[in-house]
Amino acid sequence: MYEPIRTKSVHSTVAATTSDFPHRTREEELEFQLAGHLAALLAVTDDLRSASPSADLDTAAERLAEQVTRLRAGATPLRVASEGDGQLESLHRRAHALAGRALVVAASRADTAAAILAAERMDAHAEALEPRELASH
């Protein structure tokens, strides 16, 4: 019914054999993931800054860039101004989700500085998404 496999597998099936490709440790993989999530959050933050400038977003962008630089062994993150969709709500939703992902990974690797920053950004974006209540009741 199925044609037999005629080529040797590229995956090692014997535990004793070593492969030729490098492996990352769990810590290195988590660091890589955290840097990626924070870099994505930085990109969305930059989009928000261009759509609706604020001192809070400027500070957040600086802190995010510092964390990404730290996690990438001194390599500064690439920052490109994007036209984006201009929809503040969708940008805040995206930023909130990215901050949540970063928080989970930062907690997994016990990176307190990144976890605190991610939690603060989640709070800020959640607050931006809350419906505004009328001052008069």
Side-chain angles (χ1 to χ4, degrees):
M1 181 169 208
Y2 295 104
E3 185 174 335
I5 299 172
R6 297 178 187 192
T7 59
K8 187 176 178 182
S9 174
V10 296
H11 303 287
S12 175
T13 57
V14 180
T17 59
T18 59
S19 60
D20 293 336
F21 61 93
H23 292 279
R24 286 192 287 244
T25 64
R26 179 179 187 276
E27 185 63 27
E28 290 169 332
E29 183 62 32
L30 288 173
E31 186 173 305
F32 182 77
Q33 287 179 15
L34 181 57
H37 291 318
L38 291 176
L41 179 57
L42 175 59
V44 175
T45 301
D46 283 341
D47 287 348
L48 278 165
R49 288 174 59 214
S50 67
S52 176
S54 78
D56 177 54
L57 290 172
D58 292 342
T59 303
E62 287 177 27
R63 291 177 63 202
L64 287 165
E66 288 170 5
Q67 289 298 316
V68 173
T69 301
R70 176 182 63 87
L71 291 165
R72 290 188 175 163
T76 57
L78 178 64
R79 297 177 73 177
V80 179
S82 165
E83 294 301 314
D85 59 9
Q87 299 294 327
L88 290 179
E89 185 175 334
S90 69
L91 289 172
H92 281 294
R93 285 188 194 289
R94 192 172 335 148
H96 186 270
L98 287 166
R101 290 183 191 124
L103 178 58
V104 169
V105 177
S108 295
R109 69 182 304 263
D111 188 330
T112 306
I116 290 170
L117 177 58
E120 289 173 357
R121 297 317 308 152
M122 278 186 75
D123 290 344
H125 295 295
E127 185 178 308
L129 289 168
E130 288 178 358
R132 304 288 178 215
E133 294 183 11
L134 297 175
S136 60
H137 284 271

